[in-house]
Amino acid sequence: MYQIEQSFTMNYAFPVCFDRDTLAPESTVLTDILGRAGEGPHRILPVIDQNVLEAHPDIVDRLQLYAEVHGDVLELIDPPLIVRGGEISKSDPIEVDEFYQRTQTQNIDRHSFALVIGGGAVVDAIGYAAATAHRGIRLIRMPTTVLAQNDAGIGVKNAINYRGRKNYLGTFAAPFAVINDFDFLSTLPQRDKVSGIAEAIKVALIRDGEFFNWLYENRGPLAEFAQEPTERMITRCAELHLNHIRSSGDPFEQGSARPLDFGHWCAHRLEELSGSELRHGEAVAIGIALDSLYSYLKGMIGIESVERIRSTLEGVGFTLNHPALESLDIHKALEDFREHLGGKLCITLLTREGAAIEVNEIDHHTMEECRQQLLGGVWPE
């Protein structure tokens, strides 16, 4: 036998910026990012979420003015690609196909940029399109929702749905940069403001007990979307997610353990069962509640923690007994999640506020008891 053992290492580095009024002519955040790619002007295809365009109807004009002022650094590819917002952008191949067509008709190559401005679903879908066109077009994400700014838009994953399966087609591809502009959050519907807080509660429970305590103490101001607590919540949540990607030793999730998916094994299934009526964060909140109850019934955490988790989730505005729970097949959802992991089942459970373990088996009878408690709104006392 003749064998060549191949091994190489690549370094990935990208900035995650927190800003306001990024598209103001005097702002240099975007131009500084483009400067990392060398001398310009750099060709940029803007991809804009329809929901963002409706909430900020001047955004195209602002982009054009910005490009005129900074013409030595960037050249906008006109017109911008406008895509439907929400889960439809991941479930219908039109969005991705339109991106592919533009790369062909307007000669967008691996040295060009896509600037995606939108919510988590749009960032996911266009991220997938950019990662697969020409084997990778440089992507700058400008997430516009809480969930996208503290989770979906800052990591290395991109995906679209396929035949009813959430995130079935996807890539691991680091963005060129991420710009979190807090100004976009002011026009969000209340549900979307609340929805993104679920990821902060999730990562705090498994990674940072002090941060979870802060979320518990500030659940009232967060429910009202007070500026300072909201921005602190987003920034700290992003820090914890990025730290995991950087230091876990498995940034592309080649193993079975996915601790940042705490509460997610049923969340994706609940989204599907609700026909995407449930926001991702709302489904994650239910998943957090379900797995926290399970952790308690298995003797891993105390009643005080369960009460604080419930108070935090409900205090910021989540409803935890959605009708989709009635149709949740625990066995099938766990099996689908195991298949998605690509190996043995690995579920994250709490051992205390700020710490967790991974288990490879779930007691279906106990988990069913948790489901019934959530549906009935009857929590342990």
Side-chain angles (χ1 to χ4, degrees):
M1 182 189 76
Y2 178 69
Q3 176 175 310
I4 298 175
E5 194 70 34
Q6 176 73 303
S7 176
F8 63 90
T9 301
M10 288 189 66
N11 290 322
Y12 289 85
F14 61 93
V16 177
C17 308
F18 298 86
D19 191 30
R20 285 189 174 279
D21 204 12
T22 304
L23 298 180
E26 62 273 16
S27 173
T28 62
V29 173
L30 180 57
T31 53
D32 288 346
I33 285 170
L34 292 170
R36 295 161 63 97
E39 293 185 6
H42 301 283
R43 301 181 73 235
I44 297 180
L45 171 63
V47 184
I48 304 174
D49 185 323
Q50 179 68 43
N51 293 335
V52 174
L53 182 61
E54 291 173 1
H56 303 269
D58 64 340
I59 191 168
V60 175
D61 291 338
R62 292 173 63 202
L63 271 169
Q64 290 173 340
L65 176 59
Y66 191 90
E68 291 172 8
V69 172
H70 300 283
D72 59 326
V73 180
L74 68 132
E75 172 195 342
L76 284 187
I77 298 172
D78 192 59
L81 174 59
I82 309 300
V83 299
R84 294 169 294 176
E87 200 68 14
I88 188 64
S89 63
K90 293 179 63 171
S91 300
D92 190 325
I94 289 175
E95 322 300 324
V96 172
D97 190 60
E98 286 182 342
F99 183 91
Y100 291 152
Q101 290 181 40
R102 291 291 293 274
T103 64
Q104 293 181 331
T105 60
Q106 296 186 291
N107 300 318
I108 298 169
D109 58 28
R110 291 173 56 85
H111 296 282
S112 305
F113 287 86
L115 171 64
V116 56
I117 305 174
V122 169
V123 167
D124 253 8
I126 300 305
Y128 173 79
T132 50
H134 294 305
R135 296 195 181 100
I137 292 171
R138 292 183 287 197
L139 178 71
I140 299 174
R141 299 176 183 152
M142 193 176 288
T144 58
T145 65
V146 177
L147 184 65
Q149 290 193 2
N150 68 12
D151 180 69
I154 62 170
V156 297
K157 295 191 286 190
N158 311 278
I160 58 174
N161 306 331
Y162 180 69
R163 295 195 174 188
R165 297 290 299 277
K166 187 174 176 69
N167 297 335
Y168 190 83
L169 300 178
T171 64
F172 288 95
F176 191 83
V178 181
I179 304 173
N180 282 335
D181 188 327
F182 290 132
D183 285 344
F184 284 112
L185 306 181
S186 62
T187 58
L188 291 176
Q190 181 64 20
R191 280 184 72 184
D192 290 328
K193 290 177 179 178
V194 171
S195 179
I197 303 175
E199 295 290 351
I201 296 171
K202 173 208 73 176
V203 75
L205 280 171
I206 61 177
R207 284 286 188 266
D208 188 342
E210 183 178 338
F211 180 42
F212 175 73
N213 185 64
W214 181 88
L215 292 170
Y216 170 76
E217 296 290 345
N218 286 272
R219 60 194 185 280
L222 288 170
E224 297 173 358
F225 217 63
Q227 180 176 317
E228 190 279 331
T230 297
E231 293 181 7
R232 179 177 173 183
M233 176 269 295
I234 290 171
T235 304
R236 182 56 181 155
C237 182
E239 287 175 346
L240 289 169
H241 276 90
L242 291 168
N243 182 63
H244 173 80
I245 293 169
R246 179 177 60 252
S247 63
S248 68
D250 190 19
F252 296 154
E253 297 179 358
Q254 295 182 347
S256 292
R258 291 174 59 174
L260 290 190
D261 274 353
F262 173 59
H264 281 57
W265 69 267
C266 69
H268 291 169
R269 184 63 182 144
L270 290 172
E271 288 180 76
E272 295 166 2
L273 290 170
S274 73
S276 296
E277 189 277 328
L278 267 177
R279 305 286 203 275
H280 178 67
E282 294 168 339
V284 169
I286 295 171
I288 290 171
L290 196 66
D291 287 353
S292 296
L293 278 172
Y294 184 90
S295 299
Y296 166 71
L297 292 179
K298 287 298 183 181
M300 298 178 181
I301 59 174
I303 187 65
E304 298 83 3
S305 290
V306 173
E307 291 172 346
R308 282 162 54 86
I309 292 167
R310 178 186 185 181
S311 295
T312 306
L313 290 168
E314 294 183 337
V316 299
F318 287 113
T319 300
L320 304 176
N321 59 348
H322 191 277
L325 267 172
E326 296 179 3
S327 304
L328 179 65
D329 183 328
I330 290 172
H331 174 77
K332 185 178 189 314
L334 286 168
E335 180 57 25
D336 287 346
F337 189 67
R338 184 206 61 75
E339 181 183 327
H340 187 63
L341 293 175
K344 61 184 178 182
L345 182 66
C346 191
I347 301 293
T348 301
L349 297 173
L350 298 179
T351 55
R352 59 179 170 82
E353 296 171 17
I357 60 170
E358 282 77 50
V359 302
N360 303 125
E361 294 182 356
I362 290 294
D363 179 343
H364 291 200
H365 177 77
T366 302
M367 189 63 78
E368 174 61 23
E369 183 179 349
C370 298
R371 186 180 77 93
Q372 293 296 337
Q373 288 184 356
L374 276 188
L375 275 172
V378 181
W379 286 62
E381 296 181 356

